[in-house]
Amino acid sequence: MKITICITTFNRHLDLERCLRSINQIKLEKKILLNIIIVDNSINYNLLKIKKKLSKDSKYKIIFLNQKNRGRVFARNKYLKKLKHINPDYICLFDDDCIVDKYWFKECFKTIKKYKADVVTGPQIYLKSSNSKKKGNNFSYLFEKNYKNKKICCVKWAASNNVFMDYKIIKKNNLSFDKNLNKFGVGEDQLFFSKINRNGYKIFWNKDVKVYEKFHFQRQNYKWLIDRSYRLGVLGYYIDQKEYGKINGLFINYFKSIYYFISFIISILLLKKNYFEKITNNFVRFYGRLIGPLTFKNIEFYNK
């Protein structure tokens, strides 16, 4: 069985090294042939500086690629193009700052066997930091899927920082990430996996298929929160049109806009824990969806 791990990276060498060390520790059956694709998304191919070290330290063969056109969509489509030549049985998608749980493959195969899953995903768990401004103030939680106390459930899409999937799905349907979402820096994986779900494939979320991510301090910043909420609001219009058609998508977009406005009002009235960031997120998402059809084409590239 051939499995290829796909990672995109942009000037996060220490994080990438840590990610690869965690991959070395994954429990893997001997019959599995594993290799890794790393796509460097820097214009000057900065990964060349540590390429030899990464290859030496890795237990598995690494294929290095460079994508000079900035943006995650271009970088991810670069490894999809390379996969056509490798033709693996399964692929894994990780971010460069992920630490992969050592039982990750074991849990993925258990989910496939028990539930006949085509795609398996799971949580991204943020590592605690003693240097954070205050406990529980990582605004990323506002954008993570919350499946409450469920251990395993069928879902409509997956985030591409933690995915195991049958490669035949991509090959058969000639799938790629949507270039129109490249400038947003978010949302392209939602559309990608929503298409897979609409084509009848089953996506399962398993809480034990987990990866860890370090704490990013900028995600305590309200500027980061407002910017991300706004972009998700604006691009939501585009995703809805792709999923439901032009007219229905526009109607659904404004229905969701009303939903966020009502959530904004409720957040004000309830004054629960962390209410201010929830108020901010709900209002900005409402506003983004409200003006999304008018401003989608004018959004500038998100250079994070």
Side-chain angles (χ1 to χ4, degrees):
M1 180 188 295
K2 292 195 299 184
I3 298 178
T4 299
I5 293 174
C6 302
I7 302 170
T8 64
T9 187
F10 177 68
N11 294 342
R12 294 202 290 199
H13 295 175
L14 292 178
D15 291 336
L16 179 61
E17 288 183 43
R18 186 172 62 168
C19 175
L20 293 175
R21 285 197 298 270
S22 73
I23 291 171
N24 283 342
Q25 301 301 316
I26 298 177
K27 303 292 184 181
L28 199 62
E29 294 182 16
K30 292 182 179 180
K31 64 180 180 179
I32 294 176
L33 178 63
L34 184 70
N35 59 23
I36 303 168
I37 297 175
I38 299 177
V39 181
D40 178 16
N41 197 207
S42 64
I43 295 174
N44 298 319
Y45 202 176
N46 294 331
L47 201 62
L48 282 174
K49 300 173 185 176
I50 61 167
K51 180 178 176 180
K52 288 184 178 179
K53 183 180 187 303
L54 295 179
S55 295
K56 181 181 178 181
D57 293 343
S58 176
K59 289 170 58 176
Y60 308 105
K61 178 184 176 182
I62 301 178
I63 300 167
F64 294 94
L65 303 173
N66 179 229
Q67 175 54 258
K68 293 184 178 181
N69 293 334
R70 284 285 292 116
R72 295 194 304 184
V73 169
F74 291 126
R76 286 173 175 159
N77 284 338
K78 184 83 170 185
Y79 64 57
L80 290 183
K81 185 177 180 180
K82 184 64 177 179
L83 286 169
K84 292 180 181 179
H85 302 286
I86 300 173
N87 194 30
D89 297 296
Y90 291 93
I91 64 170
C92 319
L93 309 184
F94 297 130
D95 282 350
D96 59 355
D97 59 346
C98 284
I99 298 174
V100 187
D101 185 78
K102 65 180 180 179
Y103 298 111
W104 194 85
F105 277 116
K106 178 183 176 182
E107 293 298 331
C108 285
F109 283 118
K110 279 172 59 177
T111 307
I112 289 172
K113 184 177 180 180
K114 185 173 182 179
Y115 297 95
K116 307 297 182 185
D118 301 296
V119 179
V120 180
T121 186
Q124 178 175 263
I125 301 169
Y126 292 96
L127 298 172
K128 294 181 180 179
S129 172
S130 59
N131 295 323
S132 60
K133 292 179 182 178
K134 63 179 182 178
K135 187 177 179 181
N137 198 36
N138 181 357
F139 296 150
S140 295
Y141 81 91
L142 292 165
F143 310 105
E144 301 288 342
K145 287 292 183 181
N146 182 7
Y147 299 113
K148 297 182 179 179
N149 296 320
K150 293 181 180 178
K151 177 177 171 56
I152 297 178
C153 58
C154 192
V155 297
K156 293 183 178 180
W157 61 276
S160 51
N161 56 14
N162 184 8
V163 169
F164 184 73
M165 65 181 295
D166 189 334
Y167 177 63
K168 290 194 295 291
I169 298 171
I170 294 176
K171 186 166 62 173
K172 181 179 178 181
N173 297 279
N174 195 27
L175 295 173
S176 62
F177 291 93
D178 194 313
K179 291 186 290 186
N180 289 316
L181 294 176
N182 185 64
K183 60 185 178 180
F184 288 90
V186 67
E188 75 285 346
D189 45 4
Q190 179 180 344
L191 181 57
F192 183 84
F193 287 102
S194 292
K195 286 180 181 178
I196 289 173
N197 180 63
R198 289 201 314 275
N199 285 339
Y201 298 101
K202 293 186 289 186
I203 304 173
F204 274 85
W205 181 93
N206 182 341
K207 77 171 186 177
D208 292 324
V209 177
K210 53 195 174 186
V211 298
Y212 302 88
E213 183 183 297
K214 75 173 187 179
F215 190 91
H216 293 278
F217 295 108
Q218 70 269 26
R219 297 179 186 179
Q220 291 182 299
N221 189 302
Y222 272 95
K223 183 180 182 302
W224 179 87
L225 169 61
I226 292 169
D227 191 58
R228 189 174 181 88
S229 297
Y230 177 69
R231 287 174 183 271
L232 283 169
V234 172
L235 69 83
Y237 143 77
Y238 181 80
I239 290 177
D240 287 337
Q241 286 205 328
K242 285 292 183 179
E243 287 200 55
Y244 305 107
K246 195 168 185 179
I247 296 176
N248 288 339
L250 189 63
F251 173 79
I252 290 170
N253 172 70
Y254 283 120
F255 178 81
K256 290 180 179 178
S257 178
I258 294 170
Y259 164 80
Y260 279 113
F261 184 75
I262 293 173
S263 298
F264 162 68
I265 299 298
I266 292 173
S267 298
I268 293 175
L269 296 176
L270 293 181
L271 296 180
K272 288 186 175 181
K273 182 181 178 182
N274 301 327
Y275 74 95
F276 191 69
E277 52 251 42
K278 293 177 181 177
I279 289 171
T280 303
N281 176 52
N282 285 326
F283 179 78
V284 177
R285 292 283 281 271
F286 150 71
Y287 180 70
R289 281 193 170 269
L290 183 67
I291 67 171
L294 302 175
T295 62
F296 180 85
K297 293 182 179 180
N298 299 324
I299 293 291
E300 295 180 356
F301 177 70
Y302 182 44
N303 189 15
K304 62 177 181 177

